[in-house]
Amino acid sequence: ADSELNITKCESFPSFRNTTQSTEISPMDQSKLWYLESFNLFKGYSSTELQEVADMAAMKSIKKGDFIFFPEELSQSVYILKKGKIKIGSYSPEGKEIIKAILQPGEIFGELAITGESKRDDFAQALEDDTKFCVFSVEHIEEMMRTNPHLSLQITKIIGWRLKRIENRLESLVFKDARTRIVEFLRDMGERFGKPVGTETLIMNNLTHKEMASLTATSRQTVTTVLNELRESNQIYFDRKRILIRDLKALN
């Protein structure tokens, strides 16, 4: 079952096809609809269809450091991140943490549950306080995919895109040196999470140097050295919570 250590057990989900429409929408349902409308996954859905999706979803809120699921748990749910950032990772046989991805709002995770995964290989952990996400049962996601080809195609694309990112990381490990991997990681973070500040890019950073090292297959010391070199050459500025990239395209 999904972790009961940090989130409460999800309430039961109503049937997708037999959902009845209410003339009054509660504040909680209005909040769900607002978030669902902002997800690319549900673009093109009518208000009635979005209400049906909202009726299926349980909304959860957790704090920084809390886990959503652990390795070896049964894969029974699929999640969509609404607010905050989520770290996806696993543990080596020696117990070393291996970070596989950092997710931002709007991204789906736990999706391998719909590909036949019976137990989780990874963990999912919140990187920010007041992290919010929607929880869907595997059965409801599968039902939505059967009745909506667009949704099915979008989820298939997401799974394919993530496999491609894994391939790219493996190629980077083989063909690129540690400094290049760290610089490319910063550039990717800037493109995905950064906000423009004039000609510069600001990243609100929740990762430690150790976590960056795990994502780039380097060491904490190497990450610290490269970041300091980039700061000394005035390509970036950083503190414990922010990284400011002077020129994202020129970063090297």
Side-chain angles (χ1 to χ4, degrees):
D2 289 293
S3 172
E4 296 180 356
L5 296 177
N6 300 296
I7 60 176
T8 57
K9 186 68 178 176
C10 298
E11 62 268 27
S12 60
F13 295 90
S15 168
F16 178 64
R17 293 190 174 183
N18 297 324
T19 300
T20 56
Q21 299 302 312
S22 172
T23 55
E24 295 183 2
I25 302 177
S26 70
M28 176 65 78
D29 284 340
Q30 288 177 337
S31 177
K32 285 186 193 176
L33 286 172
W34 185 88
Y35 280 114
L36 291 171
E37 286 173 350
S38 68
F39 294 156
N40 289 332
L41 204 59
F42 301 111
K43 277 190 175 179
Y45 272 48
S46 67
S47 57
T48 299
E49 289 171 326
L50 281 173
Q51 181 61 56
E52 290 178 338
V53 174
D55 287 342
M56 280 188 269
M59 294 179 65
K60 301 294 176 182
S61 179
I62 58 176
K63 63 182 182 297
K64 181 178 179 179
D66 284 350
F67 286 85
I68 300 167
F69 55 78
F70 294 96
E72 296 301 315
E73 287 191 2
L74 295 178
S75 298
Q76 297 179 328
S77 302
V78 178
Y79 310 84
I80 301 178
L81 182 59
K82 298 190 294 185
K83 181 183 177 184
K85 290 190 179 75
I86 293 289
K87 175 172 66 176
I88 305 295
S90 60
Y91 298 103
S92 71
E94 297 76 28
K96 180 181 178 182
E97 181 181 274
I98 302 168
I99 303 176
K100 297 182 177 179
I102 303 297
L103 305 183
Q104 63 179 330
E107 294 197 72
I108 188 172
F109 61 104
E111 73 281 359
L112 292 182
I114 59 177
T115 68
E117 177 189 65
S118 59
K119 291 184 178 181
R120 304 287 184 191
D121 291 323
D122 300 331
F123 66 79
Q125 184 180 27
L127 291 175
E128 297 181 357
D129 284 327
D130 196 27
T131 292
K132 297 181 184 295
F133 53 93
C134 287
V135 187
F136 296 88
S137 71
V138 171
E139 291 76 15
H140 280 113
I141 288 289
E142 289 175 341
E143 176 70 6
M144 285 191 287
M145 290 175 69
R146 282 193 294 268
T147 58
N148 191 309
H150 173 73
L151 176 66
S152 181
L153 179 61
Q154 288 295 100
I155 291 177
T156 301
K157 285 182 176 179
I158 288 168
I159 294 172
W161 175 77
R162 290 196 174 152
L163 288 173
K164 182 63 177 176
R165 286 182 65 86
I166 291 172
E167 289 178 2
N168 290 341
R169 286 186 67 184
L170 289 173
E171 289 180 5
S172 179
L173 286 174
V174 174
F175 298 112
K176 297 176 181 178
D177 61 27
R179 178 187 171 86
T180 301
R181 295 200 299 272
I182 294 168
V183 168
E184 289 187 350
F185 168 75
L186 291 174
R187 190 179 296 118
D188 180 62
M189 288 281 287
E191 290 171 351
R192 295 179 64 207
F193 303 122
K195 295 182 179 180
V197 181
T199 60
E200 301 174 326
T201 302
L202 179 64
I203 306 167
M204 301 308 294
N205 179 46
N206 305 93
L207 299 175
T208 65
H209 288 191
K210 182 179 179 180
E211 289 170 329
M212 289 186 194
S214 178
L215 279 162
T216 56
T218 58
S219 67
R220 182 182 60 80
Q221 293 86 350
T222 301
V223 169
T224 300
T225 297
V226 172
L227 290 179
N228 285 334
E229 288 174 354
L230 291 171
R231 179 164 58 183
E232 289 169 6
S233 62
N234 199 34
Q235 294 192 69
I236 68 170
Y237 169 81
F238 68 91
D239 57 28
R240 294 185 65 181
K241 294 188 177 293
R242 300 171 298 169
I243 299 175
L244 183 68
I245 301 175
R246 304 298 187 189
D247 187 336
L248 190 60
K249 291 182 179 180
L251 185 67
N252 62 66

